[in-house]
Amino acid sequence: MNSDPRRARFERLAPTVIDAVRRYLARRTDPATADDVLSETLLICWRRLDEMPGEHLPWAYAVARNCLANAERAHRRRFRLLARISRLDPPPTVVDGPSPPDGDLTGALSRMRPGDAELLRLWAWEDLTPAGIAVVLGITANAASIRLHRARQRLRDELTGKTGPAAGHDRSTEGSRT
């Protein structure tokens, strides 16, 4: 296989993918993990360049999402191991780091189901259409559209302080026997 046209195609796509995926990861994880996941994502994009569709960005987001999930699983395994070790041999002092700022939107997203929050981030931060979101999440465009509508409603309710099953609905007593 001649690698020159393949390399040229990758070099054309890479800057767009790098910038978009870097921003995608920066909003979801720490800088060191983002760099590692970006590297892994680019490696997979190179290996699977022939499978990359014309709409390459949603495909690259899906790859990055999977790589990030793998990195987070590895982080949890390391954390569990460190917790076991610290029970056997506790460190002399523990230093707490600064806590991140908690704005209204950030707080509302953190209280939402992770799937809904991710869907909203893909729509608002990555500027994807329901069809693009569908590619990233591996669902149909119709399912993405429905889930996005519901997630936006849940976010609206979360931001306005509405909770419970009646959130967003005014209960009418008209026609009922009380």
Side-chain angles (χ1 to χ4, degrees):
M1 177 178 180
N2 186 358
S3 66
D4 288 340
R6 189 171 193 272
R7 182 177 179 160
R9 179 175 181 226
F10 185 77
E11 288 175 351
R12 273 193 322 274
L13 296 175
T16 306
V17 170
I18 290 170
D19 291 341
V21 171
R22 180 176 282 134
R23 286 190 308 270
Y24 172 87
L25 293 169
R27 290 187 279 262
R28 287 163 177 78
T29 191
D30 62 276
T33 303
D35 287 343
D36 291 344
V37 171
L38 177 61
S39 297
E40 187 176 349
T41 300
L42 289 173
L43 179 62
I44 291 170
C45 287
W46 169 254
R47 287 181 183 161
R48 297 179 59 194
L49 187 62
D50 297 331
E51 299 172 36
M52 191 180 283
E55 278 292 316
H56 60 276
L57 230 81
W59 187 87
Y61 286 144
V63 170
R65 182 174 182 259
N66 291 333
C67 290
L68 182 58
N70 290 339
E72 289 171 346
R73 277 191 296 275
H75 175 72
R76 287 191 302 269
R77 283 192 303 270
R78 283 190 302 275
F79 182 77
R80 286 192 306 267
L81 177 62
L82 288 173
R84 284 192 310 225
I85 291 171
S86 70
R87 281 190 300 251
L88 297 173
D89 185 21
T93 59
V94 176
V95 178
D96 290 333
S99 55
D102 189 17
D104 289 343
L105 182 60
T106 304
L109 285 172
S110 69
R111 290 186 300 272
M112 294 182 72
R113 292 187 314 213
D116 286 345
E118 176 66 6
L119 195 73
L120 290 166
R121 287 184 192 107
L122 288 169
W123 171 70
W125 294 349
E126 309 313 330
D127 200 27
L128 292 178
T129 64
I133 293 169
V135 172
V136 174
L137 300 179
I139 58 177
T140 66
N142 188 43
S145 182
I146 292 168
R147 290 180 190 180
L148 177 61
H149 173 76
R150 291 177 182 163
R152 287 173 52 191
Q153 181 62 48
R154 287 185 195 105
L155 178 62
R156 188 177 306 117
D157 293 345
E158 188 68 42
L159 289 170
T160 59
K162 295 181 182 178
T163 58
H169 302 285
D170 292 330
R171 185 164 183 217
S172 173
T173 56
E174 184 179 328
S176 66
R177 296 180 189 169
T178 18

